Amino acid sequence: MSDNTKVHKIALLGLGTVGTGVYKLVEERQKDEFYFKTGTRLEISKILVRDAKKKRANILPQITITDQWSDIINDPEIDIIVEVMGGIEPARSYILEALNAGKNVVTANKDLLAVHGKELLDAAKENKRDLLFEASVAGAIPIIRPLKQCLAGNHIDEIMGIVNGTTNYILTKMTAEGMDFAQALAKATELGYAEADPTSDIEGYDAARKVAILASIAFHSRVVLDDVYVEGITAISAQDIRYANEAGYAMKLIGVAKNTPSGIEARVHPMLIPLSHPLATVNDSFNAIFVHGDAAGEVMFYGKGAGELPTASAVVGDIIDVVRNIQYGSLGRISCSCYKNLPIKSIDDIESRYFIRVSCQDQTGVLGKIATVFGDNEVSISQFIQKDIVDGNAELVIITHKVFERDIRKSVDALNKLDVVHKVSSIIRVYG
Ligand code: NAP
Ligand code: HSE
């Protein structure tokens, strides 16, 4: 490598969990490796943070740490901006300004892409620059590039999987170690899996953003966060997990995107997965995504979905791609591919199997009354199991055949009006 090898200067926006991982990986691979992979050298020259006075360990002294965006956007030597600060503003404005100034952008920001993806991708296209976002979905797992490139010859009709590491970690710890929800969440936060505000993880919004991004790419039709039906895991109890296990299922937070003749289904909710299904054994912060294409059949992606280095792995892969595209004059090669405008299906119109836990009186005739409600609402029952007596009430678990969601909702409304029913404690969709 000669001394006059071209150097690509990078600015990092953010030096938190992901930014630190990116910094470490770029510095560690600095020597000859990037040169052999790209024919050029990479250098992080500036880092934007909120608090420039905060002590940052192990950052080389020649790197400028600033809280002024103008130090970065006005620096003509920087040709790649890596946005790992998160949130909508100012990240959206910074990315737009960067693209309009002819800089390339790599981001891990799913919050932004799931709402403003079209605007940002349009700006990238207009400026013939790269906007790459592999890290925005499922951390280390390559999924955006496979959908846009390797599987481009397919009609993809379904994507389903575990796309949030924090909730998978929590459910794993609650199931395997009997940890309570708060304990497991605290540990996930300590490990850097959870978002700064974990509400979006545990309420399902983080997964919903990823489903919106994946569905848009897979079905070539823009799906935004508001199109995704969302339920998180905060209502899941240890009792639900135990009963599910006894019935042969694991409790998982699942993201689903389906391209059906009547529209796109996009949803995130807890789901009971048969213990024999590969998703049932995806534990801790691991993510796994199944993609079904008409030519490829079923393809499964598995790996670490969150954390410092796993996420940095995807970000640095994108940086290397940008540099290669600069080298070969092919910037903007892979851009927005939403050329359709498909309708979004209402949750009422989806079909699923359901696990319903009912707390009711333990006396003759109760099962008959409950079964009649389901029958009257076109809901066919597959299993009826009487579990423990809790606080004087019998716990019933009902597992249905595949039925419409609207019929389940009507049934639950009617059950809640029965004098023998104390309450319907849980309604959880079942795989299959
Ligand atoms: P984080 O630990 O909270 O770090 C955020 C960083 O951005 C901090 O260094 C902060 O500065 C800086 N920052 C925030 N707002 C800023 C502002 N207005 N101006 C300047 N700097 C600002 O976040 P993270 O977990 O690394 O996540 C970063 C992004 O990656 C998010 O979009 C997230 O969704 C995405 N992501 C995260 C993971 C993960 O495992 N954590 C995985 C995939 C994707 P200070 O240091 O001064 O506070
Ligand atoms: N908080 C996310 C998760 C990581 O737990 O999967 C970023 O996508």
Side-chain angles (χ1 to χ4, degrees), residues 110 136 163-167 193-195 201 206 210 287 305-306:
K110 68 208 83 107
S136 65
V163 290
N164 182 268
T166 303
T167 46
Y193 305 149
E195 298 296 312
D201 290 304
D206 176 81
K210 293 166 183 167
N287 286 193

Side-chain angles (χ1 to χ4, degrees), residues 250-301:
M251 181 79 70
K252 296 290 178 190
L253 184 73
I254 299 289
V256 180
K258 284 189 192 178
N259 191 3
T260 76
S262 54
I264 293 177
E265 277 181 28
R267 50 193 164 97
V268 168
H269 47 66
M271 193 187 279
L272 299 190
I273 303 289
L275 293 173
S276 57
H277 190 284
L279 283 177
T281 54
V282 174
N283 286 323
D284 296 319
S285 72
F286 280 89
N287 286 193
I289 305 171
F290 281 88
V291 177
H292 186 267
D294 60 347
E298 197 154 55
V299 184
M300 181 179 175
F301 298 83

Side-chain angles (χ1 to χ4, degrees), residues 14-18 49-51 56 84-86 108 110 192 195 307 311:
L15 191 62
T17 303
V18 183
V49 289
R50 201 168 10 207
D51 177 4
R56 316 271 169 176
V84 283
M85 57 190 218
K110 68 208 83 107
E195 298 296 312
T311 311

Side-chain angles (χ1 to χ4, degrees), residues 351-411:
E351 281 183 284
S352 177
R353 296 171 63 216
Y354 293 83
F355 162 109
I356 298 166
R357 179 155 72 90
V358 181
S359 165
C360 59
Q361 290 173 12
D362 187 21
Q363 65 185 42
T364 327
V366 171
L367 288 193
K369 285 185 182 174
I370 291 175
T372 302
V373 164
F374 283 115
D376 287 348
N377 288 289
E378 317 288 328
V379 172
S380 164
I381 292 168
S382 149
Q383 287 180 63
F384 224 126
I385 311 158
Q386 176 152 356
K387 310 296 289 187
D388 312 341
I389 301 287
V390 177
D391 297 332
N393 287 301
E395 289 265 286
L396 287 185
V397 165
I398 298 129
I399 299 180
T400 73
H401 288 295
K402 211 169 204 180
V403 296
F404 282 107
E405 175 106 4
R406 59 172 169 270
D407 292 331
I408 286 293
R409 289 175 185 235
K410 280 192 260 167
S411 305

Side-chain angles (χ1 to χ4, degrees), residues 15-263:
L15 191 62
T17 303
V18 183
T20 303
V22 173
Y23 178 81
K24 284 183 188 165
L25 210 51
V26 170
E27 286 307 321
E28 202 177 289
R29 306 288 140 91
Q30 199 51 267
K31 306 228 163 45
D32 294 345
E33 204 176 322
F34 281 135
Y35 176 73
F36 290 127
K37 284 185 175 159
T38 66
T40 66
R41 286 176 53 223
L42 306 182
E43 183 184 306
I44 294 178
S45 64
K46 291 185 179 169
I47 302 177
L48 181 76
V49 289
R50 201 168 10 207
D51 177 4
K53 294 201 184 81
K54 193 154 108 189
K55 208 136 184 66
R56 316 271 169 176
N58 305 321
I59 302 294
L60 293 172
Q62 64 269 31
I63 295 176
T64 306
I65 297 198
T66 177
D67 53 14
Q68 296 301 309
W69 167 239
S70 55
D71 289 344
I72 288 170
I73 190 68
N74 295 330
D75 183 340
E77 291 199 329
I78 290 171
D79 46 20
I80 306 171
I81 304 261
V82 176
E83 187 277 301
V84 283
M85 57 190 218
I88 303 290
E89 286 294 352
R92 172 184 157 273
S93 301
Y94 290 176
I95 292 178
L96 287 172
E97 275 183 61
L99 292 167
N100 290 332
K103 299 183 190 299
N104 299 285
V105 176
V106 171
T107 178
N109 194 333
K110 68 208 83 107
D111 302 41
L112 187 55
L113 290 159
V115 178
H116 298 283
K118 179 173 169 18
E119 181 187 27
L120 299 174
L121 286 159
D122 283 352
K125 194 171 180 187
E126 219 165 275
N127 292 290
K128 295 197 177 56
R129 288 295 177 268
D130 276 347
L131 169 61
L132 302 186
F133 48 93
E134 187 60 67
S136 65
V137 179
I141 302 176
I143 183 70
I144 308 280
R145 229 176 237 79
L147 287 175
K148 283 192 177 238
Q149 300 182 38
C150 321
L151 295 168
N154 286 260
H155 289 154
I156 293 170
D157 55 21
E158 183 168 355
I159 297 184
M160 180 188 130
I162 296 169
V163 290
N164 182 268
T166 303
T167 46
N168 204 41
Y169 182 87
I170 292 172
L171 292 173
T172 302
K173 295 296 167 198
M174 286 174 77
T175 305
E177 294 175 25
M179 259 190 205
D180 67 30
F181 182 87
Q183 251 180 320
L185 172 60
K187 190 83 187 135
T189 305
E190 183 189 316
L191 292 167
Y193 305 149
E195 298 296 312
D197 173 2
T199 315
S200 71
D201 290 304
I202 60 181
E203 297 293 358
Y205 290 100
D206 176 81
R209 291 175 176 115
K210 293 166 183 167
V211 165
I213 295 168
L214 292 179
S216 301
I217 297 169
F219 308 146
H220 305 291
S221 183
R222 180 67 49 199
V223 176
V224 295
L225 176 63
D226 279 350
D227 295 326
V228 185
Y229 173 83
V230 192
E231 277 175 32
I233 63 164
T234 48
I236 298 295
S237 66
Q239 201 87 316
D240 291 322
I241 294 177
R242 181 161 69 83
Y243 290 164
N245 287 168
E246 286 167 6
Y249 296 97
M251 181 79 70
K252 296 290 178 190
L253 184 73
I254 299 289
V256 180
K258 284 189 192 178
N259 191 3
T260 76
S262 54

